[in-house]
Amino acid sequence: MVRNYKRKTDWTEKSAENLQHLREAVKAVKNGQTIRQAAHNYGINKSSLWRAVRNVSAGKSLVSLSEASHSRRFFSLEEEAVLVEYLLKASRIGFLLDTSTLKSLA
């Protein structure tokens, strides 16, 4: 990876806004507009729109990136905060942990 990498897109910051555009585009497709036209009108990739239309037709809901990440959490927020606090405290006193020790702690 490049030493000074600069992200080329900002889709993570606009997740809620993009999700709203995606929902509106899916409604437009259901009202008879073609996927290609709706994708162009709402500024969405046509493959992403097609996938969203397929998922909505199958009964799945559209969720934002932040909502989806909550379901995959391994630790609760409190447990994660305790672990981070411990690791920061250990690093301040010079007790560095390797990855295998950290995994066994977790």
Side-chain angles (χ1 to χ4, degrees):
M1 186 145 188
V2 184
R3 184 172 197 168
N4 295 319
Y5 177 75
K6 184 173 188 233
R7 182 180 283 278
K8 294 171 187 66
T9 61
D10 60 348
W11 62 269
T12 54
E13 287 84 22
K14 296 181 178 180
S15 182
E17 182 182 329
N18 289 344
L19 184 63
Q20 184 61 30
H21 287 305
L22 188 61
R23 286 184 176 139
E24 291 171 3
V26 167
K27 285 181 187 176
V29 169
K30 288 196 175 253
N31 290 335
Q33 196 173 24
T34 65
I35 289 179
R36 188 175 293 214
Q37 287 173 340
H40 180 71
N41 291 342
Y42 290 97
I44 300 170
N45 184 312
K46 65 181 166 96
S47 299
S48 299
L49 180 57
W50 177 80
R51 191 178 323 110
V53 169
R54 184 185 64 193
N55 287 340
V56 168
S57 298
K60 298 178 183 176
S61 65
L62 299 175
V63 294
S64 68
L65 186 64
S66 62
E67 292 170 356
S69 66
H70 287 305
S71 64
R72 296 186 308 223
R73 282 194 184 271
F74 188 78
F75 294 116
S76 68
L77 293 176
E78 296 81 24
E79 291 171 333
E80 185 176 348
V82 168
L83 186 60
V84 167
E85 183 181 337
Y86 173 77
L87 292 173
L88 289 174
K89 189 176 186 180
S91 68
R92 273 189 228 114
I93 62 171
F95 185 68
L96 301 177
L97 298 171
D98 59 347
T99 55
S100 60
T101 308
L102 178 59
K103 286 178 184 178
S104 66
L105 270 176

